[in-house]
Amino acid sequence: EGADPLITEVQDWASGLGDGVDATPYGMPIEFEADVVRRNVPWLTADPISSINFTPIHALDGTITPQGCAFERHHSGAIELRKEDYRLMINGLVDKPLVFAYADLERFPRENHVYFCECAANTGMEWAGAQLNGAQFTHGMIHNMEYSGVPLRTLLEEAGMDAAGDLSDKWVYVEGADASSNGRSIPMEKALDDVLVAFKANGEALRKEHGYPVRLVVPGWEGNMWVKWLRRIEITDHAVESREETSKYTDTLADGTSRKWTWVMDAKSVVTSPSPQSPITHGPGPLVITGLAWSGHGAITGVDVSIDGGANWQKARLAKPGAKMALTRFYLDIDWDGSEMLLQSRAHDETGYVQPTKAQLREVRGLNSVYHNNCIQTWHVNTDGSAENVEVS
Amino acid sequence: DVYGLGREALPEEIAAWNVDISPDGSNLPEGSGSVEDGEILFSDNCAACHGEFAEGAGNWPKLAGGDDTLANDDPVKTVGSYWPYLSTVFDYVHRSMPFGAAQTLSYDDTYAITAYILYSNFLVDDDFVLSKETFMDVEMPNADGFIIDDRAETEYTQFTEANACYENCKDSVEITMRATVLDVTPETEEEASVQDASEEAPVEVAAAETEAPAEEAAAPAMAEPDPELVAAGENVFKKCKACHKVGEGAKNGTGPMLNGIIGHPAGAVEGFKYSSGLQDAAAGGLVWDQAAMTQFLTKPRDFIKGTKMSFVGLKDQEDIDAVIAYLSTFE
């Protein structure tokens, strides 16, 4: 093999000029990364206006999800709501019902936190069997961002809660300004703990599709509760039992009864690469196995990886110590001998919980839960490096 | 107040937004509606997606049926078979429906539609009238079908560190199922290009909207539609979007895709199953010119007898002109 002309010959880019600083006032990814985008599964829903798409987690690294490819879920489409037209009302069992303009919110002391947001239906299509070929489709209803905003507690205290009396059995009902107005009831204990009224993500304004100008952030709890275009907060003495907390986001068990109020997203992990959309292209030798782990109960304390379908497990390396209700990146650096692998990962969280297998979950819940599927995922990696979504005994 | 920010909410403001209805019927408004009225209202407002008898259409939710299926392999979850509270139906219909025209139903109409949904589930008789007074008399079949999250007892105690195996955890490992057998993963490349196109289309329209319209108007070239009218039409088209698609890659849905519809023969979109009424009109040579489309959009069912389009029509001539102008931009 001769010398590499990319080195020995002067290339155009090494001689001519590139773009000036005015070329892209707000930059998009370079064209060569055009396949790293959110994708839809058209058969899943009746209409893309009331639907969901998927984060390309197979192609990302680190833990922060760029806003532009962070999954979207809307019930009546993503609306355009100007900050000037934004109003947030607090009413119900408060001392003084209040209306805030957007500018008011920026005057309260604010906090920054990194949290994952996972749709309760993430991995839901896999209950009945391996269905979708790609980590993006099986596990991409998740994103992880740094939010800036005001604790919900601060706003509730501004309205005063003496009128509510004993807070231990009270609720906070939240709704959005869009046509679906997606109302959800949150127990007061959670509302006063770590819920955030956020207006920035990853340093910049929320994107339209994520609820610009203001959304709720409910750490560790299912994404449907993270109400976008947040317009009203009502203190009540009961759960409202809205459409999104009764007919949807409830988990039907084998005997036909259904669990409700299953808000917390249990510990979960997935190998993002290699995976069906991210095959091994370099042959045997050094191989980086990587993935994501998270838990709605707190910090990830460890991740195990198996390359033989769960017969033997080894501890993966965490890129950083786990943080509460945030994605954790893990790596297992191996010398791949080129043989088939059945790749799995298994998350541990600070409560001592260990991510279960699909069989273990099915034993408790049956096949019709739809939501909250946090089972161990298996990728079958072939000798040619391609990978497929499978189930194993 | 701690920081003295915000202002007191006025009673009429609270009344406008504080409309959530609870299981005990609290906050229900005055009003009533019959099954009889509900049948007509449902047909006009809901049937396009949910079917004439609430049986559902395409991938849209079924609202009726599914009795005793919750323990089956594929449970059918409807208002009758699954929803535990009637308050949820009323609340949701009033706040979020119809899709694309939310918060347009009066309280009486909401009572009537809710009554019809109950009737379609055989939960009330055909002479039933739902009102604030009769609301709590209705029994929902699956009211006792829910338990509060019990994962702490049923799952967390067994999925633990103590039970986690590390070595020789299985005698053998067999592949029992492959995703490629079902093969329902979207074709990523093609799928992506279709997606991109449909997302870019509205951006172009929006850009046209903001370009100095005054200058454009000064030189009315050919029959180019007025950009302001097109922009207004895009807004009106939100009422149609649930069923009709336009733009690159537009496909037939509940209704036919509408690229190139203005000026073209009726009933001619490939692959769409038209009503016999529309087929007859097409056979008679109907062309969707400005005049015909105006008549159709004014009162669809008067213009085409037996049309499947359940949309009641646009009252405002300006809206009709605008939406026709908007549609004329898609070739």
Side-chain angles (χ1 to χ4, degrees):
Chain A
E1 285 181 28
D4 187 347
L6 282 165
I7 296 172
T8 55
E9 291 171 18
V10 175
Q11 301 297 316
D12 289 349
W13 58 81
S15 178
L17 304 174
D19 289 341
V21 293
D22 291 332
T24 49
Y26 195 101
M28 291 293 287
I30 196 164
E31 60 189 296
F32 315 122
E33 298 294 318
D35 59 328
V36 184
V37 290
R38 297 185 277 233
R39 292 188 199 282
N40 179 17
V41 176
W43 55 264
L44 207 57
T45 52
D47 191 294
I49 294 169
S50 179
S51 192
I52 191 154
N53 59 24
F54 300 80
T55 307
I57 54 170
H58 64 288
L60 303 178
D61 212 320
T63 55
I64 296 294
T65 315
Q67 290 203 75
C69 67
F71 87 96
E72 304 163 64
R73 168 68 165 126
H74 328 125
H75 298 267
S76 292
I79 57 166
E80 286 184 10
L81 176 55
R82 303 188 319 153
K83 284 177 182 169
E84 292 83 348
D85 298 335
Y86 178 78
R87 300 289 183 273
L88 175 60
M89 182 186 289
I90 301 190
N91 71 305
L93 302 172
V94 292
D95 301 340
K96 183 181 174 186
L98 293 175
V99 172
F100 298 114
Y102 177 81
D104 295 328
L105 297 180
E106 287 201 342
R107 298 174 65 191
F108 286 101
R110 54 181 180 264
E111 297 180 1
N112 288 194
H113 297 280
V114 176
Y115 293 124
F116 75 82
C117 172
E118 184 185 17
C119 177
N122 200 18
T123 323
M125 291 87 81
E126 303 292 302
W127 272 113
Q131 281 216 52
L132 288 158
N133 246 333
Q136 177 169 22
F137 301 112
T138 56
H139 290 76
M141 296 179 189
I142 191 163
H143 56 60
N144 190 63
M145 303 197 205
E146 183 193 37
Y147 294 98
S148 307
V150 180
L152 177 55
R153 171 191 275 274
T154 304
L155 299 183
L156 293 173
E157 285 171 353
E158 185 69 15
M161 290 179 286
D162 291 342
D166 177 8
L167 293 178
S168 66
D169 61 353
K170 297 302 182 295
W171 295 74
V172 167
Y173 173 77
V174 286
E175 70 182 21
D178 64 316
S180 82
S181 78
N182 180 23
R184 289 291 308 244
S185 309
I186 300 172
M188 182 61 85
E189 187 186 357
K190 178 70 174 177
L192 295 178
D193 181 16
D194 56 6
V195 177
L196 209 59
V197 175
F199 33 83
K200 296 278 169 75
N202 298 344
E204 62 180 353
L206 292 166
R207 294 287 167 90
K208 171 174 93 170
E209 61 269 34
H210 300 134
Y212 179 94
V214 177
R215 86 171 306 167
L216 203 65
V217 168
V218 190
W221 289 24
E222 61 190 14
N224 185 259
M225 307 178 85
W226 297 43
V227 169
K228 300 191 287 190
W229 312 290
L230 180 69
R231 81 164 189 187
R232 195 166 68 92
I233 298 164
E234 178 187 0
I235 298 187
T236 63
D237 58 9
H238 58 272
V240 169
E241 304 282 9
S242 71
R243 188 241 192 192
E244 304 287 323
E245 50 200 10
T246 53
S247 81
K248 304 289 172 186
Y249 304 96
T250 45
D251 310 359
T252 301
L253 304 171
D255 68 357
T257 60
S258 303
R259 286 176 178 161
K260 67 173 185 177
W261 302 353
T262 44
W263 305 302
V264 184
M265 301 306 295
D266 289 329
K268 184 165 169 180
S269 68
V270 65
V271 171
T272 52
S273 181
S275 65
Q277 295 161 288
S278 180
I280 304 169
T281 54
H282 53 60
L287 170 68
V288 174
I289 297 171
T290 186
L292 294 165
W294 61 95
S295 170
H297 287 284
I300 289 294
T301 50
V303 178
D304 307 323
V305 171
S306 171
I307 62 172
D308 59 9
N312 296 281
W313 295 87
Q314 46 193 318
K315 292 201 182 296
R317 171 171 62 88
L318 303 189
K320 284 182 187 172
K324 280 187 184 298
M325 284 81 106
L327 292 191
T328 298
R329 170 67 58 180
F330 66 86
Y331 295 102
L332 185 71
D333 309 293
I334 68 165
D335 185 15
W336 183 44
D337 63 5
S339 61
E340 287 183 43
M341 292 187 284
L342 288 165
L343 265 185
Q344 297 184 333
S345 65
R346 182 170 78 178
H348 300 237
D349 75 18
E350 63 178 88
T351 68
Y353 179 93
V354 179
Q355 185 182 359
T357 64
K358 222 184 242 188
Q360 284 177 306
L361 276 185
R362 283 173 178 160
E363 201 166 305
V364 181
R365 303 190 204 170
L367 298 176
N368 291 326
S369 273
V370 181
Y371 304 103
H372 304 104
N373 184 350
N374 67 318
C375 70
I376 291 171
Q377 171 67 38
T378 311
W379 305 126
H380 176 221
V381 181
N382 278 298
T383 52
D384 65 1
S386 65
E388 186 191 352
N389 177 9
V390 300
E391 287 186 4
V392 292
S393 56
Chain B
D1 33 345
V2 184
Y3 294 94
L5 293 170
R7 62 163 175 87
E8 185 151 8
L10 302 176
E12 58 267 43
E13 292 174 330
I14 296 173
W17 278 4
N18 187 43
V19 296
D20 51 287
I21 315 292
S22 293
D24 64 0
S26 62
N27 214 20
L28 271 172
E30 298 298 333
S32 69
S34 66
V35 169
E36 202 182 345
D37 291 344
E39 183 170 11
I40 298 163
L41 287 161
F42 190 90
S43 179
D44 287 350
N45 293 288
C46 323
C49 298
H50 298 295
E52 287 291 339
F53 305 100
E55 76 280 17
N59 232 349
W60 296 104
K62 294 175 172 57
L63 305 182
D67 304 4
D68 300 320
T69 64
L70 296 180
N72 296 1
D73 280 350
D74 288 303
V76 179
K77 297 181 177 180
T78 71
V79 169
S81 71
Y82 195 65
W83 292 38
Y85 306 109
L86 187 59
S87 58
T88 313
V89 185
F90 187 96
D91 181 73
Y92 187 69
V93 170
H94 184 250
R95 78 165 59 232
S96 308
M97 290 288 119
F99 193 57
Q103 302 185 61
T104 59
L105 294 170
S106 69
Y107 283 129
D108 283 346
D109 288 355
T110 307
Y111 275 114
I113 288 170
T114 306
Y116 180 71
I117 295 170
L118 289 170
Y119 172 72
S120 67
N121 278 287
F122 304 102
L123 296 176
V124 297
D125 293 328
D126 57 4
D127 59 355
F128 181 72
V129 177
L130 185 68
S131 67
K132 190 176 173 179
E133 288 69 37
T134 60
F135 203 87
M136 295 309 291
D137 298 341
V138 179
E139 284 183 31
M140 299 297 278
N142 196 40
D144 297 326
F146 291 79
I147 56 168
I148 293 174
D149 187 4
D150 64 350
R151 285 176 292 180
E153 298 82 48
T154 55
E155 298 182 10
Y156 300 165
T157 49
Q158 50 169 320
F159 307 154
T160 61
E161 301 277 358
N163 293 338
C165 170
Y166 277 87
E167 283 178 353
N168 304 316
C169 309
K170 300 174 179 181
D171 293 337
S172 69
V173 179
E174 307 295 334
I175 292 176
T176 53
M177 184 159 189
R178 295 174 177 275
T180 44
V181 173
L182 281 166
D183 199 17
V184 288
T185 313
E187 289 289 327
T188 41
E189 302 316 316
E190 283 175 38
E191 209 59 50
S193 64
V194 171
Q195 276 297 107
D196 289 350
S198 64
E199 274 173 21
E200 272 165 28
V203 177
E204 282 169 32
V205 175
E209 191 182 330
T210 52
E211 273 170 26
E215 264 179 82
E216 296 268 339
M222 309 296 280
E224 281 291 308
D226 171 9
E228 268 188 54
L229 196 61
V230 169
E234 185 184 7
N235 202 29
V236 176
F237 193 71
K238 286 179 182 168
K239 294 185 200 292
C240 324
K241 263 162 102 171
C243 301
H244 294 288
K245 304 300 171 202
V246 290
E248 210 177 316
K251 293 185 187 130
N252 294 330
T254 307
M257 72 94 193
L258 296 179
N259 288 344
I261 195 69
I262 303 302
H264 281 70
V269 173
E270 211 172 302
F272 187 77
K273 267 186 73 182
Y274 289 93
S275 63
S276 55
L278 211 128
Q279 285 176 27
D280 291 348
L286 176 66
V287 171
W288 288 126
D289 57 17
Q290 178 97 20
M293 191 59 95
T294 300
Q295 274 186 283
F296 183 54
L297 292 180
T298 307
K299 272 209 176 274
R301 281 180 214 192
D302 287 1
F303 188 64
I304 304 280
K305 299 288 176 214
T307 180
K308 286 197 289 186
M309 188 164 95
S310 64
F311 185 63
V312 282
L314 292 166
K315 289 191 201 100
D316 209 332
Q317 186 59 44
E318 282 171 26
D319 284 353
I320 295 175
D321 293 344
V323 83
I324 292 175
Y326 175 66
L327 287 174
S328 71
T329 63
F330 296 96
E331 289 175 9

